[in-house]
Amino acid sequence: MAALGLAASGGNWFSALALGVTLLKCLLIPTYHSTDFEVHRNWLAITHSLPVSQWYYEETSEWTLDYPPFFAWFEYALSHVAKYFDQEMLNIHNLNYASSKTLLFQRFSVIFTDILFVYAVHECCKCIDGKKADGSVRWNSFNFVRLISLGLIVFLVSALSLGPFLALNQLPQVFSRLFPFKRGLCHAYWAPNFWALYNALDKVLAVIGLKLKLLDPNKIPKASMTSGLVQQFQHTVLPSVSPLATLICTLIAILPSVFCLWFKPQGPKGFLRCLILCALSSFMFGWHVHEKAILLAILPMSLLSVGKAGDASIFLILTTTGHYSLFPLLFTAPELPIKILLMLLFTIYSISSLKTLFRKEKPLFNWMETFYLLGLGPLEVFCEFVFPFTSWKLKYSFLPLLLTSAYCAVGITYAWFRLYVSVLTDPPVSKTKKQ
């Protein structure tokens, strides 16, 4: 607290905030860690102990390396620091190794590398405050030169990332790891996207069909999408979804925003909206999407939220729903009050701040949106405090996850739709004096 007071007394509120968040993370070091802990320990061991040519072939652990090469190199760099904490964590055969020193390294590596994110946020705050840019910034067209520049950047990054594996003739193996189609349409806990609603509808139709004796129980697929396992499965009533179908749906969802950016440029903020829509569309319709991927849309959306009331409303719906959808990842009792209090703190502060910022405009939420967001409360009470004491716990163990995923999918889909409407209906930047 003394450190926070010292930073704040100097007028540097951002430093105080960054320090406070860092100290909070330090307090959470002893808390629960998920299977991702072992995943990244194993990747540290793979990249440290084996030559590059074996990184994407190693399969001693079930948690094989399936992230892009740049991240693999990042793990390689971290492994050379990790050896000073506990050399045993870098042994490929030490499966599920979790010493106290390994835990400290994993936690501190995240906290330390967050410095890059803190710096980026600091620079964005300068832009929003008008110190480096103001409303007169104009983007008259997204022209061919910009397209070539962006394309060149993407090409160079891809070449640096995949070049070594191309030289080793290992691209097919790398791609087989990066695109694991055999893992099924959805993750073990469904990401709250379109396919979660699709799965839920198929489940409801299957239950109704069985009750009405319209379906033969013996013909229902054995691999259940509510088993909590990462696997391929067939839908019971609705058509099953293939990887190609998700690719087509994702492209269809992305293309209108890209065309709008090209033919109806809306300045830098329009470009940012397009990026967010691409991230959200990939989340909505992608194959085997992880629930944490919603953060790729929430974070940049926070930059738009201070620009106009409509974007603020979309941001609050997206961030509240998206953050709540991550609750099932922290499922042990000690984390329950922590996750609830942290989300309440962030949500209340965000809503009150944006309401104050746009106090001269209409309310940020209509009655329907307010009713939906307040519904998260009863949903949490049921999932955490009521369901565990019911007889349904044994027979329908996946019900809380299904309800959480489906309910949050409604809010995220709504936010995606509203953002798309704003992009398609806003006038080009040339028709406005300021952007």
Side-chain angles (χ1 to χ4, degrees), residues 121-160:
V121 172
H122 182 260
E123 293 301 301
C124 287
C125 288
K126 286 183 180 179
C127 293
I128 292 174
D129 288 340
K131 295 177 181 178
K132 288 191 175 181
D134 57 27
S136 63
V137 175
R138 298 179 65 86
W139 196 353
N140 294 322
S141 65
F142 187 74
N143 59 29
F144 186 72
V145 175
R146 291 191 180 97
L147 178 64
I148 295 297
S149 299
L150 287 174
L152 183 61
I153 292 173
V154 172
F155 173 78
L156 289 176
V157 170
S158 300
L160 288 173

Side-chain angles (χ1 to χ4, degrees), residues 105-126:
F105 172 76
Q106 294 271 40
R107 302 295 202 203
F108 280 123
S109 64
V110 173
I111 294 172
F112 180 78
T113 52
D114 270 353
I115 292 175
L116 180 62
F117 176 68
V118 170
Y119 172 75
V121 172
H122 182 260
E123 293 301 301
C124 287
C125 288
K126 286 183 180 179

Side-chain angles (χ1 to χ4, degrees), residues 230-275:
V230 177
Q231 60 181 340
Q232 288 182 303
F233 58 81
Q234 300 294 315
H235 289 88
T236 305
V237 178
L238 300 176
S240 294
V241 181
S242 67
L244 179 60
T246 62
L247 174 62
I248 293 173
C249 289
T250 302
L251 290 176
I252 292 175
I254 286 175
L255 284 177
S257 64
V258 176
F259 286 148
C260 186
L261 179 68
W262 183 272
F263 295 107
K264 194 180 68 172
Q266 297 172 354
K269 291 181 180 178
F271 181 69
L272 181 57
R273 286 192 181 94
C274 180
L275 290 179

Side-chain angles (χ1 to χ4, degrees), residues 32 41 85 95 150 195 205-206 267 356 374:
Y32 160 82
R41 185 215 61 80
F85 282 75
L95 302 182
L150 287 174
W195 304 121
L205 293 176
T356 301
L374 290 176

Side-chain angles (χ1 to χ4, degrees), residues 202-226 233-238 240:
D202 183 76
K203 192 68 177 178
V204 170
L205 293 176
V207 171
I208 294 174
L210 290 173
K211 292 290 184 182
L212 299 178
K213 297 183 178 180
L214 299 175
L215 295 176
D216 184 354
N218 298 321
K219 294 183 179 180
I220 292 180
K222 293 181 179 180
S224 172
M225 57 187 167
T226 57
F233 58 81
Q234 300 294 315
H235 289 88
T236 305
V237 178
L238 300 176
S240 294

Side-chain angles (χ1 to χ4, degrees), residues 1-24 118 122:
M1 293 303 294
L4 287 175
L6 182 63
S9 62
N12 194 343
W13 63 269
F14 185 88
S15 297
L17 179 61
L19 180 59
V21 171
T22 301
L23 292 176
L24 176 61
V118 170
H122 182 260

